[in-house]
Amino acid sequence: MTSPAFSLCVYCGSRPGADAAFIDTARAVGEWIGNRGGQLVYGGGRNGLMGVVAEATLAAGGRVVGIIPRALVEKEWAHNGCTELHVVDTMHERKRMMAERADAFLALPGGIGTFEEFFEVWTWRQLGYHDKPVGLLNAGGYYDGLMAFLRTGVEQAFMSEWQMDLIRVGTDAEALLPELVQAAGLAPADRLEAI
């Protein structure tokens, strides 16, 4: 078995959301990963955007690594079609394993779990626990309010501009995904087309 060209950890909702554009975005991300010989690392669920991105990656020929806590296996209908499905004991173990298996991180629309995971890897990045790129795909303007709030954090001197610069924010998957792969050091700019 050949190793994947890259491994992208995607955080997203276990629900589909109210806007069909969220599903389209999750599908596009999965297709992009699979079509380029990549690997998806995600929370292991079958429902919502999680299921969409996993199915799209698999359908496009990519590898899917799902990591799910035992307590959520039934609640989230664990995706048994993953290339690898790891059932772990705790959320901490899940997040650690996801971070270890990823070259870069991407948050799609989601709820409180997505927010928590995104903020954690961003915090880890600013503390120097990893140097992997962190992306936020602002599909359908879903994260506009969050971005405005984060700017308030900078304006009120609770955050610095350099911390904001640690995340890459985009509205187009086709533009943001190659940027994350390149920032992870997996392909120089002139070789991105090969991925």
Side-chain angles (χ1 to χ4, degrees), residues 130-193:
H130 72 81
D131 61 356
K132 300 173 183 181
V134 178
L136 186 69
L137 190 51
N138 188 16
Y142 182 73
Y143 285 115
D144 286 350
L146 175 63
M147 295 309 298
F149 176 70
L150 293 174
R151 296 297 331 156
T152 300
V154 173
E155 291 161 10
Q156 296 299 320
F158 286 105
M159 293 172 50
S160 301
E161 201 61 53
W162 70 267
Q163 291 168 303
M164 293 296 294
D165 291 343
L166 294 176
I167 56 172
R168 296 163 187 271
V169 182
T171 57
D172 177 29
E174 292 287 328
L176 183 57
L177 290 167
E179 184 181 331
L180 291 172
V181 169
Q182 183 180 356
L186 300 171
D190 60 347
R191 295 207 51 235
L192 273 175
E193 295 305 316

